Amino acid sequence: MTELKLISKYPDSLKQIIQSALSERLHNLEVGIKRTKERLHEFETKYQLSTGEFIQSFNNDELSHNFDFDEWIGEARMLQHLQEQKETIEEVKFVN
């Protein structure tokens, strides 16, 4: 694990600012994840496929192209990206 050291004239204030910013970002990521999952669920319901099954079929050229599929793939990638960012923030630990 990498350690990041910040030097400030006001370390307690800086720590509070950073914790607040990370907390807000984490909340925004959770909202984005929820919305993205809802959108994926809409596609899964519409096409009666899980996202995993869809991606596998799409990658194997088993589906003809349509614009919903482009959006579905984009949403799946977005979910992965948001979850990775969320995990990164959740792993941050403040040490003295």
Side-chain angles (χ1 to χ4, degrees):
M1 184 171 279
T2 301
E3 186 174 315
L4 173 66
K5 186 173 185 175
L6 302 173
I7 299 171
S8 172
K9 190 174 181 180
Y10 307 102
D12 292 334
S13 294
L14 179 61
K15 181 178 178 181
Q16 288 176 351
I17 290 167
I18 293 171
Q19 285 176 321
S20 177
L22 289 174
S23 179
E24 183 177 340
R25 180 65 180 142
L26 185 59
H27 172 73
N28 290 339
L29 287 167
E30 289 169 345
V31 169
I33 287 169
K34 182 178 183 237
R35 286 184 191 152
T36 303
K37 284 182 176 181
E38 288 170 355
R39 188 70 176 126
L40 289 172
H41 181 71
E42 291 173 12
F43 286 118
E44 291 172 342
T45 301
K46 182 175 181 178
Y47 293 99
Q48 296 297 301
L49 286 171
S50 72
T51 297
E53 292 169 329
F54 159 71
I55 290 173
Q56 184 176 10
S57 295
F58 188 83
N59 288 340
N60 291 333
D61 293 323
E62 297 171 4
L63 302 170
S64 59
H65 180 266
N66 91 38
F67 291 110
D68 274 357
F69 294 168
D70 292 338
E71 192 173 344
W72 196 350
I73 289 170
E75 293 289 342
R77 289 179 181 162
M78 178 60 70
L79 179 60
Q80 181 179 359
H81 176 72
L82 294 172
Q83 288 173 326
E84 288 170 359
Q85 285 190 351
K86 180 178 183 263
E87 288 174 18
T88 298
I89 290 173
E90 290 174 334
E91 291 177 0
V92 171
K93 305 290 182 233
F94 286 87
V95 296
N96 295 328

